[in-house]
Amino acid sequence: MTAVAAPARVRALTGAAGDPRWSRPAMWTVLAAAFVLYAWALGGNANEYYAAAVLSGTRSWKAFFFGAIDAGSFITVDKPPLALWVMGLSARIFGHGTYSMLMPQVLAGVAAVGTVYSAVRRSFGRTRQGHVAALVAAVVMTLTPITVAINRDNNPDTVLVLLLVLAAWFCLESLRTARLRPLLLAALFVGLGFNAKMLQAYLVVPAFGMAYLVCARHGLARRVGHLLAAGVVLVASSAWWMVVVDLWPAASRPYVGGSTGNTVRDLVIGYNGLGRIFGQDRAGGGSGGANFGGQAGAGRLFNDVMAGQISWLLPFCAVALAFVVLLRARGPLFDGAAWLLWGGWLVVHHAVFSFSHGTFHPYYTTAMAPAVAALTGMGATVMWQAYRGSRGWAWALPVAVAVTGGWAFVVLRRTPEWLPWLAWVVLGATTVAVAGFVTVIVTGLVTRLVTGLVPASATGAATGLVAGRGRMAGRVTVVAVAAAVVAGLAGPAAYAVSPLGARVNGTNPTAGPSTGRTGGPGGFGGPPPGGELPGPRTDALRGGEPPQGEPGVRERGSMGGGVAGSTVRYLVANQGRATWLVAVGSAQQASSIILSTGRPVIAMGGFTGSDPAMTVPRLRELVSSGRLRYVLPGGRGGPGGGDTAVTTWVTAHCAAVDGHTGLYDCAP
């Protein structure tokens, strides 16, 4: 038993027979680097909106299942709860805190890197080129700036990306093995992705479907049948939670946050669906997309806000795709299914993210990172093969390096005060790389021309000329490759490490320096200093004195919804047997109080403050039953402004506790 087990452990570290000896250690090194990037100094990183829901899920299984922001289950967050379930289970096991909540995110990010590595390597088989392509892809995935930022946060995009990458792996495996089961598993993982972030998960479906329809080793009728079967799995794995929630009696479950009709169907179609594309987040409402990712249009991903987050290697991917399309007619030097899948993934996401008029955050583009990584790894490999073995196509590699390095220089010069030397290093490396590649190509052409003109009597001299040229070309190529790596990765690597030195804004996480429209690693505003995520601190909230309206004392809240500290202390001291500590206008206020006290708080207007979750009859019923005593109306912004009827009822039927705080006591 021992003799068999030891080689298995060795193979896990060094790779299978036939793999280059460096391949598996290099992969583990990249995964370790990814873990450090994503896990270093996590204290204080979190979107308090989702953090409050995770905490509430540890206090109530009902809140856990529905994804309610409060343990009393008044209203859900505006996303399906799968990502919250992952973090919530960790918090239930290890206790609620920053690391227990974010470590599953870190591990999901590292797993996504490893899955991209495996998917790319399998597309090339167990060849040296396949391992190089996979390693390049893993490095690019690890160093994508926006991916580093979001993997250090508790937004659902990290889990979404892992699920979609797993789906891609199984789709390619189905094409490789000609089996149906992996295709069904791919559909299952996309459906799970739907339960993390709804319709955004479906952006990969056109690429998967096209790759299977074109490349599967079956007859057309069978291919279509397999895709229909996968569609059934996709619908079932996507819709089950939605069906359960919508069939659940509305009176005994939370209001569906973000919806106008208290159904998940409405959330799918509107707020988290077509509203994201057409700019109608809810009926008659606009969007604030331009406030986060810039104006919609073909250049959005290259503007001042977005360029440093995701665009560094998009020019390289464009050249690689064009190269492969042209080369396809001259011979299959690549896995066509992989190029269709990853290329389709990138094209669809690029189009949707560029032209969406709804709410758009930079961190959405982390979903592009797997495709960018895979195309970069595969593109570098096939262009390198052409550089080494083709006269006409050898120029593709220096062209790709030139446009990539040139674009990196432009991006870095947009913030000349931030690492001012880096742009010039990138420009110098680009120049060296391109010059080296071109020199080798030109000298090769000259050498072939000269040897073709040498008479047969001088073959010895010609042989010496070729040998000398080969040695020189080898040395120049090594320098050129090293310079090309610096040109392509120095910029994104510098951005990628920046979140390690500053706390990420949980609401709008970004990496790199401020561009005048974001706050650098923390995005705009950023969370307050202090290390750990705010947790229940009831021992620090003693005292029953009425609030005196201290405008300078605010509970911590990265979304700007703070409530006076004396108000919170008063509420804790006087909650009595009420289910909810207080009802406030929006989740911006509620999440901070929930995290500070550990008590349920009603967010009457949901995330935006404009959800019609609270009505006068509902408020009257909660007050008369004793489940709610205090109301803090106002603070309900967003489209439509808020429910004035609720505010009017509160001011008419409840007693003001203090005129400066706006708190009302509605006890009968």
Side-chain angles (χ1 to χ4, degrees):
M1 293 295 292
T2 304
V4 175
R9 290 195 297 270
V10 172
R11 285 197 300 271
L13 295 174
T14 62
D19 288 348
R21 293 182 61 86
W22 52 263
S23 62
R24 194 61 64 90
M27 180 198 72
W28 287 115
T29 300
V30 173
L31 294 180
F35 181 84
V36 171
L37 275 176
Y38 304 158
W40 185 271
L42 284 177
N45 292 348
N47 182 329
E48 292 191 353
Y49 178 57
Y50 295 122
V54 171
L55 175 59
S56 298
T58 65
R59 306 297 174 85
S60 164
W61 283 111
K62 181 178 180 181
F64 178 91
F65 176 78
F66 287 106
I69 189 175
D70 61 286
S73 298
F74 178 82
I75 191 170
T76 72
V77 298
D78 59 359
K79 299 291 186 298
L82 189 140
L84 296 178
W85 292 344
V86 175
M87 292 181 282
L89 288 175
S90 175
R92 278 183 172 267
I93 295 171
F94 300 106
H96 184 267
T98 298
Y99 281 89
S100 67
M101 181 173 59
L102 294 185
M103 195 53 64
Q105 299 284 92
V106 170
L107 296 177
V110 174
V113 173
T115 307
V116 168
Y117 177 96
S118 177
V120 173
R121 188 199 60 74
R122 284 171 172 262
S123 296
F124 283 83
R126 292 191 176 278
T127 63
R128 180 177 296 272
Q129 294 87 349
H131 286 286
V132 171
L135 185 62
V136 172
V139 170
V140 171
M141 182 78 176
T142 298
L143 295 179
T144 300
I146 195 60
T147 296
V148 176
I150 197 65
N151 287 350
R152 297 168 57 80
D153 190 42
N154 61 343
N155 278 273
D157 297 71
T158 296
V159 173
L160 171 68
V161 168
L162 174 59
L163 293 170
L164 296 185
V165 168
L166 287 169
W169 192 96
F170 279 106
C171 185
L172 290 172
E173 187 71 2
S174 177
L175 290 164
R176 188 178 70 87
T177 62
R179 292 186 298 145
L180 174 61
R181 182 180 297 176
L183 181 66
L184 301 181
L185 288 172
L188 172 66
F189 279 112
V190 175
L192 293 175
F194 178 91
N195 283 294
K197 212 174 177 192
M198 292 194 168
L199 287 184
Q200 185 179 335
Y202 284 5
L203 294 183
V204 301
V205 171
F208 291 7
M210 180 61 67
Y212 196 86
L213 194 62
V214 172
C215 300
R217 290 177 289 169
H218 304 291
L220 179 60
R222 194 172 184 183
R223 276 177 274 172
V224 172
H226 286 179
L227 288 175
L228 291 175
V232 172
V233 174
L234 175 63
V235 171
S237 59
S238 299
W240 72 271
W241 182 81
M242 175 176 66
V243 171
V244 169
V245 174
D246 284 353
L247 291 179
W248 201 290
S252 60
R253 63 161 171 81
Y255 185 92
V256 178
S259 71
T260 56
N262 195 17
T263 66
V264 183
R265 294 191 308 275
D266 177 64
L267 192 63
V268 171
I269 297 171
Y271 182 77
N272 283 331
L274 300 180
R276 299 281 171 164
I277 298 176
F278 299 111
Q280 298 295 314
D281 288 345
R282 42 178 46 84
S287 77
N291 294 331
F292 303 109
Q295 295 292 339
R300 170 183 270 176
L301 300 186
F302 301 92
N303 65 25
D304 289 348
V305 177
M306 299 299 307
Q309 307 305 317
I310 192 64
S311 77
W312 301 93
L313 291 167
L314 289 181
F316 189 94
C317 293
V319 174
L321 285 171
F323 171 76
V324 165
V325 169
L326 294 173
L327 190 64
R328 178 63 177 170
R330 298 175 179 269
L333 302 179
F334 55 93
D335 183 346
W339 282 98
L340 277 174
L341 186 146
W342 297 115
W345 180 322
L346 182 62
V347 169
V348 172
H349 278 80
H350 190 289
V352 172
F353 289 159
S354 294
F355 294 100
S356 293
H357 290 275
T359 300
F360 180 78
H361 285 272
Y363 65 81
Y364 296 173
T365 58
T366 189
M368 299 173 64
V372 171
L375 292 173
T376 300
M378 296 190 303
T381 300
V382 297
M383 285 190 282
W384 173 256
Q385 291 174 335
Y387 169 78
R388 296 295 300 271
S390 172
R391 297 182 184 181
W393 295 102
W395 296 94
L397 184 59
V399 168
V401 172
V403 297
T404 302
W407 175 242
F409 176 78
V410 171
V411 174
L412 290 168
R413 289 300 296 166
R414 288 177 175 176
T415 53
E417 71 286 350
W418 186 76
L419 301 180
W421 51 269
L422 184 58
W424 302 104
V425 169
V426 169
L427 182 61
T430 303
T431 303
V432 170
V434 173
F437 289 135
V438 171
T439 298
V440 172
I441 294 172
V442 171
T443 55
L445 293 174
V446 172
T447 301
R448 281 190 289 268
L449 178 62
V450 170
T451 54
L453 297 177
V454 171
S457 59
T459 53
T463 301
L465 176 64
V466 171
R469 180 262 171 187
R471 289 190 295 271
M472 182 275 294
R475 289 191 288 267
V476 172
T477 297
V478 169
V479 173
V481 169
V485 171
V486 173
L489 294 181
Y495 268 64
V497 299
S498 65
L500 278 64
R503 291 187 176 88
V504 171
N505 181 337
T507 307
N508 191 49
T510 56
S514 171
T515 59
R517 298 179 63 181
T518 64
F524 55 88
E532 273 294 310
L533 181 76
R537 300 194 303 272
T538 54
D539 59 330
L541 294 169
R542 299 189 183 97
E545 77 280 5
Q548 299 300 317
E550 303 173 56
V553 181
R554 297 288 178 180
E555 293 302 310
R556 304 202 297 182
S558 64
M559 294 184 288
V563 176
S566 57
T567 301
V568 177
R569 287 192 293 271
Y570 177 83
L571 291 169
V572 169
N574 294 278
Q575 180 182 3
R577 296 188 177 183
T579 302
W580 286 278
L581 182 67
V582 65
V584 297
S586 72
Q588 298 181 5
Q589 298 167 301
S591 58
S592 181
I593 302 174
I594 291 170
L595 291 170
S596 296
T597 66
R599 310 289 181 91
V601 176
I602 289 178
M604 294 187 288
F607 178 73
T608 64
S610 60
D611 290 350
M614 181 65 81
T615 61
V616 171
R618 175 66 169 154
L619 179 58
R620 186 186 299 117
E621 187 271 331
L622 292 174
V623 169
S624 63
S625 65
R627 288 182 289 169
L628 176 66
R629 177 175 179 179
Y630 294 102
V631 179
L632 187 63
R636 301 179 66 187
D643 194 333
T644 57
V646 169
T647 302
T648 300
W649 186 90
V650 170
T651 56
H653 295 83
C654 304
V657 176
D658 184 279
H660 297 292
T661 63
L663 181 66
Y664 287 84
D665 184 347
C666 298

